[in-house]
């Protein structure tokens, strides 16, 4: 008898639409964030091309442009993480998971356990330990230490909280999908 899916039919039939609504809401949120994030890749490439052209052909560089490049690069990975999880694009060790001996129910159980015991605790740890870091940066209105650098560095640091919050939400949605 499997450990999941043992709810009585009456409870399951009343909770299933609510669970599907939660899943759809989280999926829609991360789909939209992922689509916007994809445009950051194009912006980063264009910015790098402009910066390289200005440095090598016109001998004019900008600290602010170089910092903006790595800020956009960081945002791409941070905000794209939940979108990537939604499409199962993260790296995983598939030695057992892809085994022909595992049924879909067992794969779902592995996904649920991985989410509950690895993804959610790790993301929670990041949120708890990052909060003071971001709070301090905001309190001091942290900017770039380099002359000509970008101000408002606390916004980039704050995106760590947003990214891992989205990752937690998507992890919950994926666990619920596997549970259903």
């Amino acid at each position: 008898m499997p450990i999941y899916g043992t709810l009585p039919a009456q409870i399951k039939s009343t909770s299933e639409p609510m669970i599907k609504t939660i899943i759809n809401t989280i999926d829609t949120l991360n789909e939209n964030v992922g689509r916007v994030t994809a445009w950051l890749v194009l912006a980063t490439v264009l910015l790098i091309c402009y910066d390289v052209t200005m440095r090598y052909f016109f001998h004019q560089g900008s600290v602010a442009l170089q910092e903006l490049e790595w800020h956009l690069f960081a945002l791409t990975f941070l905000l794209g993480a939940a979108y990537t999880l939604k499409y199962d694009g993260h790296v995983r060790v598939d030695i057992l998971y892809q085994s022909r001996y595992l049924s879909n129910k067992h794969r779902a159980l592995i996904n649920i356990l991985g989410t509950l015991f690895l993804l959610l605790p790790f993301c929670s740890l990041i949120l708890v330990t990052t909060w003071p870091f971001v709070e301090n940066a905001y309190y001091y209105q942290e900017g770039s230490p380099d002359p000509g650098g970008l101000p408002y560095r606390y916004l980039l640091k704050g995106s760590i909280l947003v990214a891992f919050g989205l990752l937690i939400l998507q992890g919950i949605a994926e666990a619920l999908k596997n549970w259903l």
Side-chain angles (χ1 to χ4, degrees):
M1 180 182 222
I3 18 180
Y4 51 91
T6 57
L7 287 175
Q10 184 181 11
I11 294 174
K12 190 172 183 179
S13 66
T14 58
S15 65
E16 194 170 315
M18 183 178 70
I19 292 172
K20 287 182 178 180
T21 301
I22 292 169
I23 292 169
N24 288 335
T25 303
I26 294 170
D27 279 351
T28 301
L29 172 66
N30 281 318
E31 181 71 29
N32 291 332
V33 170
R35 287 175 187 257
V36 169
T37 302
W39 286 100
L40 291 178
V41 175
L42 178 62
T44 304
V45 169
L46 293 174
L47 187 64
I48 290 171
C49 289
Y50 174 77
D51 188 30
V52 168
T53 302
M54 292 304 290
R55 275 190 288 134
Y56 289 105
F57 292 115
F58 300 105
H59 305 289
Q60 294 181 353
S62 168
V63 172
L65 278 181
Q66 289 178 350
E67 286 187 0
L68 185 58
E69 290 168 12
W70 70 263
H71 285 192
L72 292 176
F73 186 72
L75 286 172
T76 300
F77 283 92
L78 284 170
L79 298 177
Y83 178 83
T84 305
L85 179 61
K86 178 182 178 220
Y87 287 102
D88 200 26
H90 285 284
V91 175
R92 71 165 73 217
V93 180
D94 286 341
I95 296 169
L96 295 175
Y97 190 82
Q98 292 298 325
S99 168
R100 62 184 168 154
Y101 302 111
L102 285 180
S103 68
N104 287 335
K105 287 184 179 182
H106 288 107
R107 285 188 185 97
L109 182 60
I110 289 171
N111 286 338
I112 291 169
L113 294 175
T115 299
L116 293 178
F117 294 111
L118 298 173
L119 179 70
L120 296 181
F122 175 75
C123 290
S124 299
L125 178 70
I126 295 295
L127 288 175
V128 168
T129 57
T130 303
W131 183 265
F133 174 69
V134 174
E135 186 178 40
N136 192 43
Y138 177 75
Y139 178 76
Y140 290 107
Q141 297 290 299
E142 184 180 349
S144 174
D146 297 321
L150 295 174
Y152 314 120
R153 183 165 285 176
Y154 59 88
L155 293 174
L156 182 64
K157 290 181 178 183
S159 69
I160 297 169
L161 297 174
V162 172
F164 280 91
L166 291 171
L167 200 52
I168 284 174
L169 288 174
Q170 192 62 45
I172 291 168
E174 295 304 313
L176 289 173
K177 287 177 196 174
N178 283 288
W179 184 62
L180 289 177

